[in-house]
């Protein structure tokens, strides 16, 4: 939830933060500074997520999770004290490094400590925290902005320190993964450098190269479609609102709320579906649902209420679909490399999908607007369906050790 809160906070308060840090500013300078801070956070997320995922397979899930939370809280606190745009950008990169580590480490820890009968449900609910974090950030900013004045943005980052309180609970009450302890064995051997690099160890098992490439492509499409649709939806809904005499910025914000509300439905339902019908059938339904949601948006009349209803469906299947990553990835890789594999695939997918906002702008121009562009993006899930056919079903099986 606080990952979602932190990421959403910068999107919400970025403009206000830059305006207070730049004594002389123009609209272009503000946009560039906010974009740079966002890009810095995402780059830190990718770099830190990769490094932290590897470290969790060496030093343990619990220890790496505590390091990630402590680092994230510390640099979030420093962000609130930023005195220049440069300081803000640097601190966002450092915060992103620790943010990126939490997902893969938390995924491995939950997957390895929850019983098989509840694992998928727990991971789906864990993923839903990201959506709830968005609503938490939006609600708090709505309250703080009018009463906090020009420095209200700083209080948003101060609130981001709260996860530090959970460190006491994690240290005292959360056990280290027994699967990891059994798989790693003698920690003294690790200190002597006898253990191979986990990125290489990932490919020891038969067909591991094919599996890795298939899920990497599926993950890249998941991330890319989300980036593209989320970048276009706000302006599109805003333009429809303007035609009806409503506030375009306000309705663009409403569309973000509707999109994230749909995602929570997708996140939470994922684990229940995956346990009821199997991992692959759940993913077939989700990927097909993403394509159908694109078709729905393509054919729906260009009216505000109808389009917002379709945005909810898009949120369910193009953002809520992210739950397949924490549910399925841990069940494909053995314990010694589980965190490395999950983090590497997710963060490589971010890098592969990084150019999508620029490509989306090109498609928008060439295809003639929002609706055909959304349809074209969701049709990418045809590739995911083909890749999924090459992968094994893992429902009811023990985690690979």
């Amino acid at each position: 939830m606080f990952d979602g809160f932190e990421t959403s906070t910068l999107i919400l308060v970025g403009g206000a933060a830059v305006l207070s840090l730049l004594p002389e500013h123009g609209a272009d300078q503000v946009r560039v500074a906010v974009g740079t801070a966002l890009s810095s956070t995402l780059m830190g997320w990718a770099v830190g997520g990769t490094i932290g995922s590897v470290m969790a397979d060496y030093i343990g899930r619990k220890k790496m999770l505590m390091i990630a939370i402590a680092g994230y809280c510390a640099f979030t606190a420093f962000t609130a004290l930023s005195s220049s745009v440069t300081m803000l950008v640097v601190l966002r990169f450092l915060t992103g490094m620790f943010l990126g580590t939490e997902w893969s480490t938390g995924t491995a820890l939950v997957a390895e400590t929850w019983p098989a009968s509840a694992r998928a449900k727990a991971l789906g609910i864990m993923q839903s925290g990201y959506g709830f974090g968005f609503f938490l950030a939006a609600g708090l900013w709505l309250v703080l902005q009018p009463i906090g004045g020009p420095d209200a943005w700083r209080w948003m980052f101060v609130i981001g320190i709260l996860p530090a309180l959970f460190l006491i609970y994690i240290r005292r009450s959360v056990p280290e993964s027994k699967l990891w302890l059994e798989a790693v064995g003698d920690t003294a051997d690790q200190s002597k450098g006898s253990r191979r690099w986990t990125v290489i160890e990932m490919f020891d098992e038969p067909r591991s190269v094919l599996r890795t490439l298939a899920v990497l492509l599926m993950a890249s499409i998941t991330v890319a479609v989300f980036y593209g649709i989320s970048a276009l939806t706000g302006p599109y809904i805003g333009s429809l609102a303007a035609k009806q005499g409503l506030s375009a910025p306000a309705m663009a914000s409403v569309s973000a709320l509707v999109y994230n509300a749909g995602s929570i439905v997708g996140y939470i339902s994922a684990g229940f579906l995956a346990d009821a019908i199997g991992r692959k059938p759940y993913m077939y339904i989700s990927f097909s649902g993403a394509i159908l949601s694109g078709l729905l948006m393509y054919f729906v009349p260009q009216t505000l209420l109808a389009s917002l209803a379709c945005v909810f469906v898009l949120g369910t299947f193009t953002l809520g679909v992210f739950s397949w990553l924490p549910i399925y990835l841990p069940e494909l890789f053995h314990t010694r490399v589980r965190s490395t594999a999950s983090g590497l695939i997710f963060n490589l997918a971010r890098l592969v999908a990084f150019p999508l906002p620029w490509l989306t702008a090109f498609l928008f121009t060439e295809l003639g607007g929002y609706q055909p562009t959304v349809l074209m993006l969701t049709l990418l899930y045809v590739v995911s369906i083909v890749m999924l056919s090459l992968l094994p079903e893992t429902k009811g099986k023990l985690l690979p050790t």
Side-chain angles (χ1 to χ4, degrees), residues 218 221 280 283-291 378-391:
M218 289 161 56
I221 289 169
K280 289 181 67 173
M283 287 188 281
Y284 280 129
I285 290 173
S286 296
F287 297 163
S288 299
I291 296 170
T378 57
L379 285 174
L380 289 172
Y381 273 104
V382 172
V383 179
S384 292
I385 291 172
V386 173
M387 291 298 102
L388 181 57
S389 68
L390 305 175
L391 295 169

Side-chain angles (χ1 to χ4, degrees), residues 81-387:
L81 302 175
S82 296
S83 58
S84 67
V85 171
T86 300
M87 184 176 177
L88 177 70
V89 169
V90 171
L91 287 170
R92 296 318 299 158
F93 176 81
L94 294 172
T95 304
M97 285 194 67
F98 290 95
L99 269 176
T101 300
E102 284 188 318
W103 181 86
S104 55
T105 307
T107 294
L109 184 60
V110 172
E112 292 171 359
T113 53
W114 283 68
S117 60
R119 184 195 310 135
K121 300 180 185 70
L123 288 164
I125 292 171
M126 181 197 80
Q127 188 69 30
S128 74
Y130 191 91
F132 286 114
F134 172 86
F135 281 99
L136 178 63
L140 286 172
W141 182 234
L142 190 66
V143 172
L144 290 174
Q145 189 176 14
I147 64 175
D151 286 329
W153 65 272
R154 298 184 188 274
W155 287 105
M156 290 290 287
F157 289 113
V158 169
I159 291 169
I161 302 171
L162 290 178
L165 299 175
F166 292 106
L167 287 172
I168 300 171
Y169 170 77
I170 293 173
R171 186 173 182 273
R172 291 180 177 177
S173 304
V174 175
E176 179 57 89
S177 162
K178 291 182 180 179
L179 288 178
W180 179 79
L181 290 170
E182 293 169 358
V184 169
D186 187 1
T187 54
D189 288 342
Q190 293 187 66
S191 64
K192 296 174 185 175
S194 61
R195 187 177 175 190
R196 289 186 304 147
W197 194 24
T198 52
V199 176
I200 296 174
E201 200 173 342
M202 276 175 57
F203 301 104
D204 281 351
E205 296 183 356
R207 298 174 59 84
S208 57
V209 173
L210 174 62
R211 288 185 183 185
T212 301
L213 291 176
V215 291
L216 175 59
L217 188 52
M218 289 161 56
S220 299
I221 289 169
T222 300
V223 174
V225 172
F226 159 66
Y227 276 170
I229 290 177
S230 60
L232 294 176
T233 297
Y236 175 69
I237 295 297
S239 69
L240 294 180
K243 292 177 182 177
Q244 298 185 17
L246 302 173
S247 169
M251 291 310 300
S253 298
V254 168
S255 73
L257 294 170
V258 171
Y259 189 61
N260 276 273
S263 76
I264 291 174
V265 174
Y267 290 141
I268 295 178
S269 62
F272 293 89
L273 280 172
D275 274 343
I277 63 177
R279 285 22 173 180
K280 289 181 67 173
Y282 147 68
M283 287 188 281
Y284 280 129
I285 290 173
S286 296
F287 297 163
S288 299
I291 296 170
L292 291 174
S293 68
L295 283 166
L296 182 64
M297 180 58 84
Y298 182 76
F299 287 109
V300 76
Q302 293 186 3
T303 60
L304 184 59
L305 289 179
S307 296
L308 281 173
C310 290
V311 167
F312 181 89
V313 178
L314 280 172
T316 301
F317 290 105
T318 63
L319 182 51
V321 73
F322 270 80
S323 281
W324 78 262
L325 288 156
I327 290 173
Y328 192 54
L329 288 181
E331 298 179 344
L332 291 179
F333 298 94
H334 59 84
T335 303
R336 290 170 63 89
V337 300
R338 183 166 292 119
S339 178
T340 296
S342 298
L344 189 65
I345 288 165
F346 193 25
N347 289 296
L348 279 178
R350 289 178 182 276
L351 294 178
V352 171
F354 194 76
L356 222 286
W358 290 281
L359 178 59
T360 300
F362 170 78
L363 287 173
F364 186 90
T365 302
E366 292 297 313
L367 296 175
Y370 173 79
Q371 289 172 297
T373 303
V374 167
L375 176 58
M376 185 61 67
L377 288 171
T378 57
L379 285 174
L380 289 172
Y381 273 104
V382 172
V383 179
S384 292
I385 291 172
V386 173
M387 291 298 102

